[in-house]
């Protein structure tokens, strides 16, 4: 089955790669959030934390939307498959990817809700500290926390770039494997064709030899008949 964006198998492979990317991104986001929460003794920089989380959540939500778009394309394609067993198999595959996408979206919504609540609590604690110790002390805490979060953000981006590079390399390996399989099939077809051609050539050669012997035998018989006829008419 072919669609505007490729075959059903290609769309499914793309959706699985995106699902793996989203799942890994969500796990990294949760680990970073857990690490930040356990290492923060007083408060978090709400501005830096919100910016980093929002950027990451936006990327994840974009990938989830892309997965759901691929599911919509595949949903229209598997219904056109003539074979019922194949149609049922692709239906289960597409439904599983769609369920994963919904699970990712629910997990992201839950994370953002918890994260927003934590940021709000951090801001309230900062305001209490500001009233108790003075604005300069609060600003210093914010500055230190902002620097720490910026460092975490840079490290996260490096990891994301490395992950994207790894996904691209795996995708290239998959494409090269498909090219090798196609080349192998073509080579086998050529070898089979050569084998058939050799058989035909041997058959033609035997037929030529047989025709040559028939020709020579016909010539001898004709000469013999002419000699007999010539002697009989004398």
């Amino acid at each position: 089955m072919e669609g505007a964006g490729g075959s059903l198998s290609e769309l499914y492979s793309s959706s699985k790669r995106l699902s793996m990317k989203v799942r890994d991104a969500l796990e990294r986001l949760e680990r970073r959030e857990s690490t930040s929460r356990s290492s923060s003794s007083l408060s978090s920089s709400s501005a830096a934390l919100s910016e980093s989380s929002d950027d990451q959540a936006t990327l994840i939500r974009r990938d989830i939307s892309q997965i759901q778009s691929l599911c919509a394309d595949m949903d229209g394609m598997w219904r056109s498959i003539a074979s019922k067993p194949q149609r049922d198999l692709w239906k289960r595959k597409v439904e599983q990817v769609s369920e994963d996408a919904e699970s990712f979206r629910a997990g992201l919504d839950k994370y953002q809700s918890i994260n927003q609540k934590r940021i709000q609590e951090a801001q309230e604690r900062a305001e209490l500290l500001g009233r108790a110790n003075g604005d300069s002390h609060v600003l210093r805490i914010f500055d230190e926390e902002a620097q720490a979060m910026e460092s975490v953000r840079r490290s996260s981006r490096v990891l994301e770039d490395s992950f994207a590079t790894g996904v691209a390399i795996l995708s290239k390996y998959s494409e090269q494997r498909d090219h090798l399989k196609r080349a192998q099939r073509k080579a086998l077809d050529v070898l089979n064709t050569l084998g058939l051609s050799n058989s035909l050539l041997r058959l033609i050669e035997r037929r030529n030899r047989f025709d040559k012997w028939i020709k020579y035998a016909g010539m001898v018989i004709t000469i013999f008949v002419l000699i007999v006829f010539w002697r009989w008419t004398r």
Side-chain angles (χ1 to χ4, degrees):
M1 295 296 299
E2 296 286 342
S7 68
L8 182 56
S9 297
E10 290 172 345
L11 294 180
Y12 179 74
S13 297
S14 298
S15 67
K16 293 298 289 183
R17 286 195 296 270
L18 280 173
S19 295
M20 182 174 63
K21 178 183 176 183
V22 169
R23 181 178 288 106
D24 186 80
L26 284 172
E27 290 176 355
R28 291 200 309 272
L29 198 62
E30 292 172 356
R31 287 197 300 268
R32 187 178 64 180
E33 175 68 14
S34 177
T35 301
S36 175
R37 185 166 56 250
S38 62
S39 62
S40 179
S41 58
L42 294 177
S43 64
S44 299
S45 174
S46 58
L49 179 61
S50 177
E51 182 181 2
S52 177
S53 300
D54 288 346
D55 289 347
Q56 184 67 14
T58 299
L59 294 175
I60 295 174
R61 197 172 295 277
R62 182 194 62 189
D63 290 335
I64 294 174
S65 298
Q66 189 173 353
I67 294 173
Q68 292 179 324
S69 176
L70 290 172
C71 287
D73 293 339
M74 291 188 292
D75 189 72
M77 295 172 68
W78 69 257
R79 296 177 187 275
S80 303
I81 299 177
S83 172
K84 188 177 185 303
Q86 288 293 321
R87 189 168 61 248
D88 292 341
L89 175 63
W90 277 109
K91 177 183 178 182
R92 289 193 296 271
K93 287 184 176 182
V94 174
E95 287 177 347
Q96 182 60 52
V97 175
S98 180
E99 290 172 2
D100 289 343
E102 288 297 331
S103 176
F104 295 151
R105 185 179 294 277
L108 182 60
D109 291 341
K110 180 179 178 181
Y111 166 80
Q112 286 188 304
S113 177
I114 295 174
N115 188 53
Q116 187 62 35
K117 181 179 179 181
R118 194 178 72 85
I119 292 174
Q120 185 176 355
E121 292 174 351
Q123 290 174 338
E124 292 173 355
R125 288 196 300 270
E127 291 174 0
L128 291 174
L129 287 172
R131 287 195 296 268
N133 302 321
D135 293 338
S136 61
H137 180 64
V138 175
L139 290 175
R140 181 176 60 81
I141 294 175
F142 275 155
D143 185 62
E144 292 175 353
E145 292 292 335
Q147 292 178 2
M149 290 305 301
E150 181 63 25
S151 178
V152 171
R153 184 181 177 185
R154 286 196 297 268
S155 300
S156 176
R157 286 179 175 175
V158 171
L159 290 175
E160 290 169 8
D161 292 341
S162 300
F163 177 79
T165 302
V167 170
I169 291 174
L170 290 176
S171 178
K172 288 295 182 182
Y173 282 156
S174 178
E175 292 177 2
Q176 291 176 0
R177 182 184 62 185
D178 293 339
H179 290 327
L180 289 174
K181 286 184 178 180
R182 286 195 291 269
Q184 184 182 20
R185 285 197 295 268
K186 289 182 180 179
L188 290 175
D189 292 341
V190 171
L191 291 176
N192 291 332
T193 303
L194 289 176
L196 180 61
S197 300
N198 290 334
S199 299
L200 288 174
L201 289 174
R202 288 194 295 269
L203 180 62
I204 293 171
E205 186 179 353
R206 287 196 298 269
R207 182 61 183 270
N208 286 336
R209 287 200 299 267
F210 181 73
D211 291 344
K212 187 182 298 183
W213 283 111
I214 291 176
K215 181 180 67 176
Y216 290 154
M219 293 172 62
V220 170
I221 292 172
T222 301
I223 293 173
F224 176 76
V225 170
L226 289 175
I227 292 174
V228 171
F229 179 77
W230 178 71
R231 289 186 176 181
W232 182 73
T233 55
R234 285 185 61 188

